[in-house]
Amino acid sequence: MESTEYRESLQQAATALVGIRGQLFDLVFQVAITGELKEWADSIAVGEQVTFSKEMFAGCEDTNVRLLTQLLTGVEQTCDSLLNLNNLHLGDD
């Protein structure tokens, strides 16, 4: 039987991975729009809203964007596995 401390540590790890995922997404975004997607990004009108997805980055030819996107996917999968294997939910305290 697992201790409450152990379960709390797993919950903290999953919560931290969510934050890391957000940071990684931001990094992938910055690399993509200053590199391969720069011309496209520069053509977007100020104030226009565009939604980016991980799939957009996965389709880039830039090896660096693809590597970062793979890492992003790994973080997501690890977080999902921690939550599922331990019957945890984000937002649980």
Side-chain angles (χ1 to χ4, degrees):
M1 187 160 137
E2 63 188 38
S3 70
T4 301
E5 288 177 321
Y6 180 73
R7 189 165 174 79
E8 288 172 1
S9 293
L10 290 171
Q11 184 69 49
Q12 289 171 353
T15 300
L17 286 174
V18 170
I20 291 166
R21 189 258 180 224
Q23 291 175 337
L24 270 173
F25 190 92
D26 291 345
L27 292 169
V28 175
F29 173 80
Q30 288 301 316
V31 170
I33 66 163
T34 58
E36 184 174 336
L37 301 179
K38 182 172 179 22
E39 188 175 313
W40 174 83
D42 289 345
S43 72
I44 301 299
V46 174
E48 184 175 344
Q49 291 187 356
V50 178
T51 302
F52 285 88
S53 68
K54 182 178 66 172
E55 291 72 26
M56 290 174 70
F57 302 130
C60 286
E61 293 181 17
D62 184 327
T63 302
N64 296 307
V65 172
R66 293 179 79 152
L67 284 170
L68 289 168
T69 302
Q70 289 172 1
L71 180 59
L72 180 63
T73 298
V75 168
E76 290 171 341
Q77 291 171 344
T78 300
C79 184
D80 287 345
S81 293
L82 279 177
L83 293 171
N84 290 332
L85 289 170
N86 297 286
N87 195 28
L88 298 171
H89 304 280
L90 293 176
D92 286 357
D93 292 326

